[in-house]
């Protein structure tokens, strides 16, 4: 990333020149106070949607929680979260500089309009190949960085999925629980492989949802919001029970899945900021050049109820958490009324402030032994 930023600023004529060019083309408009949930990007949607995503991702994501629990003390976990927040801002700054540098390089000679690439996701690899591949070893370094970054994230996710599947589901069956520890470890390894195959199959279809960031945020943000809503119910709603949580999560997952399906079927064409080809220089091949007016200026309008499915994907975490809490609360109250489910069954998960507010006595409960699970996960 540092090499891309440095080369981009040099090509654009310096840091000041790059940011000036980005500002003149409207790429540094940070705040947009328009309140419109159907607008793809604005400040309101970002604060509401991405804010809920950060809360759920850092507080309810199994890989993150697993990392917190691996630390020796609670204070160490807080320090890890604080350092994560600080370093995340540094990474964000580097990403912004990368975008500004690459845009300043191609602002007047857009490779998409030239037909060199087909999606905006390809702009950074295209820049790297054209501007840095002449340096010995840079192509291999770029490839290795991408692969290592992906593997470090996927490995944690696969480990968490396999461990949860084993502990929460398979261990409840005698045929699995009675296995020798070595075979239990091998079963968890097989689960990791199976989940890896499923992820690869899903990746083939998710590419149709839009850009990499949009696809990532749609999937992770949607699931994270639903999981966060489940955690928030356990923390703040004394009457929440398993029937309500399951119904809320199921209904929310079905709703968001239907929204994503309908949105992809509508083939929404969103307007983008203009680019040009007026400064491509001599010798540029315009054989596959496209007309910017035809490709980018048409914005398809939708009427109700189809317009409902065009809600910004940035709001998916908020929608998932909101639906989970609302439907889960209704399901909990109905199950308490008709199924006689005791509301006290989940009260040991409540936040201490909520316990004091409702006058709920502190209950002592035991935590299932995790030593065996950790041993299997490390096998």
């Amino acid at each position: 990333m540092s090499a891309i930023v440095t080369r981009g600023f040099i090509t654009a004529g310096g840091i000041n020149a790059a940011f000036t060019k980005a500002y003149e083309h409207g790429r540094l408009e940070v705040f947009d106070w328009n309140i419109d949930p159907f607008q793809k990007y604005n400040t309101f949607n970002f604060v509401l949607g991405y804010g809920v995503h950060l809360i759920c991702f850092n507080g309810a994501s199994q890989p993150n929680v697993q990392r917190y629990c691996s630390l020796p003390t609670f204070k160490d976990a807080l320090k890890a979260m604080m350092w994560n927040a600080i370093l995340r801002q540094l990474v964000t700054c580097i990403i912004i500089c990368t975008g500004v540098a690459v845009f300043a390089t191609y602002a007047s000679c857009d490779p998409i309009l030239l037909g060199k690439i087909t999606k905006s996701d390809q702009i950074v690899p295209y820049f790297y190949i054209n501007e840095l591949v002449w340096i010995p070893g840079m192509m291999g370094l770029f490839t290795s960085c991408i692969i290592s970054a992906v593997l470090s994230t996927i490995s944690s996710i696969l480990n968490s999925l396999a461990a949860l599947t084993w502990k929460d589901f398979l261990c409840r069956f005698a045929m699995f629980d009675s296995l020798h520890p070595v075979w239990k470890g091998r079963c968890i390894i097989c689960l990791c492989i199976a989940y890896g195959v499923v992820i690869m199959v899903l990746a083939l279809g998710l590419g149709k949802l839009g850009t990499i960031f949009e696809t990532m945020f749609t999937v992770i943000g949607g699931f994270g919001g639903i999981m966060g809503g489940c955690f928030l119910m356990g923390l703040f709603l004394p009457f929440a029970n398993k029937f309500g949580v399951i119904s809320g999560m199921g209904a929310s997952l079905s709703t968001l899945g239907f929204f994503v399906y309908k949105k992809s079927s509508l083939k929404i064409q969103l307007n983008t900021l203009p680019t040009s080809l007026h400064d491509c220089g001599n010798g540029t091949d315009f054989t596959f050049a496209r007309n910017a007016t035809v490709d980018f200026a048409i914005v398809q309008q939708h009427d109700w109820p189809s317009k409902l499915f065009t809600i910004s994907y940035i709001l998916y975490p908020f929608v998932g958490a909101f639906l989970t809490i609302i439907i889960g609360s209704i399901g909990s109250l109905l199950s308490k009324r008709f199924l006689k489910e005791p509301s006290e069954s989940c009260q040991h998960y409540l936040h201490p402030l909520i316990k004091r507010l409702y006058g709920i006595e502190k209950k002592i409960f035991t935590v299932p032994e995790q030593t065996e699970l950790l041993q299997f996960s490390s096998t």
Side-chain angles (χ1 to χ4, degrees):
M1 296 292 285
S2 299
I4 295 174
V5 172
T6 303
R7 179 61 180 175
F9 284 152
I10 293 174
T11 305
I15 298 177
N16 184 59
F19 275 91
T20 300
K21 186 174 292 187
Y23 176 78
E24 291 174 350
H25 287 77
R27 263 60 178 188
L28 295 182
E29 184 179 352
V30 180
F31 299 105
D32 182 355
W33 300 107
N34 184 32
I35 301 179
D36 182 7
F38 305 104
Q39 183 179 349
K40 192 172 185 179
Y41 302 113
N42 59 49
T43 305
F44 173 78
N45 292 349
F46 187 83
V47 171
L48 192 61
Y50 197 73
V52 173
H53 166 70
L54 286 180
I55 294 174
C56 298
F57 182 76
N58 291 295
S61 172
Q62 167 62 20
N64 286 340
V65 173
Q66 184 171 306
R67 293 186 179 102
Y68 303 151
C69 294
S70 66
L71 296 174
T73 63
F74 180 70
K75 290 184 178 180
D76 290 327
L78 290 179
K79 290 180 181 178
M81 295 185 68
M82 292 176 61
W83 278 109
N84 175 64
I86 295 173
L87 295 177
R88 184 186 292 270
Q89 302 309 312
L90 177 61
V91 173
T92 301
C93 291
I94 295 176
I95 293 174
I96 292 174
C97 290
T98 301
V100 171
V102 174
F103 172 78
T105 303
Y106 297 121
S108 301
C109 189
D110 187 356
I112 297 180
L113 297 183
L114 276 177
K116 301 295 184 181
I117 59 177
T118 57
K119 298 176 63 176
S120 58
D121 292 330
Q122 301 168 341
I123 189 71
V124 172
Y126 178 82
F127 175 88
Y128 199 92
I129 293 174
N130 282 272
E131 301 292 337
L132 293 171
V133 75
W134 58 271
I135 303 176
M138 289 301 290
M139 196 63 193
L141 180 62
F142 182 74
T143 306
S144 62
C145 287
I146 294 177
I147 294 176
S148 62
V150 172
L151 290 179
S152 65
T153 302
I154 295 297
S155 62
S156 300
I157 295 175
L158 293 178
N159 178 66
S160 300
L161 287 172
L164 283 175
T165 303
W166 178 265
K167 192 64 180 179
D168 292 343
F169 297 100
L170 297 183
C171 271
R172 300 178 183 272
F173 298 95
M175 62 178 295
F176 292 104
D177 192 45
S178 59
L179 290 175
H180 188 274
V182 175
W183 282 101
K184 290 181 179 180
R186 291 174 179 174
C187 288
I188 292 180
I189 293 175
C190 292
L191 287 173
C192 283
I193 297 174
Y195 278 121
V197 173
V198 171
I199 290 175
M200 292 179 64
V201 172
L202 291 176
L204 298 176
L206 292 177
K208 300 179 180 180
L209 296 181
T211 63
I212 293 177
F213 180 79
E214 181 174 355
T215 302
M216 179 274 296
F217 201 84
T218 298
V219 177
I220 298 179
F223 279 101
I226 295 171
M227 187 61 65
C230 171
F231 273 66
L232 292 174
M233 286 185 64
L235 280 171
F236 299 109
L237 299 180
F239 55 84
N241 55 43
K242 60 183 180 182
F243 297 106
V245 171
I246 293 175
S247 62
M249 294 180 67
S252 181
L253 181 61
S254 302
T255 302
L256 286 181
F258 183 69
F259 268 54
V260 172
Y261 169 75
K262 291 295 293 183
K263 187 174 183 179
S264 62
S265 64
L266 290 175
K267 298 180 180 180
I268 301 172
Q269 182 86 29
L270 294 174
N271 197 9
T272 60
L273 295 175
T275 55
S276 67
L277 298 174
H278 70 266
D279 193 19
C280 287
N282 297 327
T284 303
D285 183 10
F286 291 93
T287 304
F288 301 100
R290 301 190 299 183
N291 191 326
T293 303
V294 174
D295 288 337
F296 295 102
I298 300 175
V299 181
Q300 186 176 1
Q301 299 293 334
H302 297 276
D303 298 326
W304 293 92
S306 296
K307 187 177 179 62
L308 184 63
F309 304 117
T310 65
I311 187 172
S312 173
Y313 70 91
I314 297 291
L315 289 175
Y316 282 176
F318 172 77
V319 173
F322 179 79
L323 291 177
T324 300
I325 293 174
I326 297 300
I327 299 176
S329 299
I330 297 174
S332 296
L333 294 174
L334 291 176
S335 65
K336 181 182 177 181
R337 173 68 176 82
F338 296 103
L339 300 179
K340 307 299 182 182
E341 172 69 13
S343 59
E344 294 82 5
S345 58
C346 297
Q347 289 186 353
H348 51 262
Y349 296 116
L350 290 173
H351 192 278
L353 294 178
I354 302 299
K355 287 184 177 182
R356 286 197 291 268
L357 179 63
Y358 285 91
I360 300 174
E361 296 181 359
K362 183 177 181 181
K363 299 180 182 293
I364 300 177
F365 63 97
T366 59
V367 179
E369 181 61 43
Q370 300 293 328
T371 305
E372 184 182 9
L373 178 59
L374 294 176
Q375 178 183 356
F376 298 152
S377 300
S378 61
T379 302

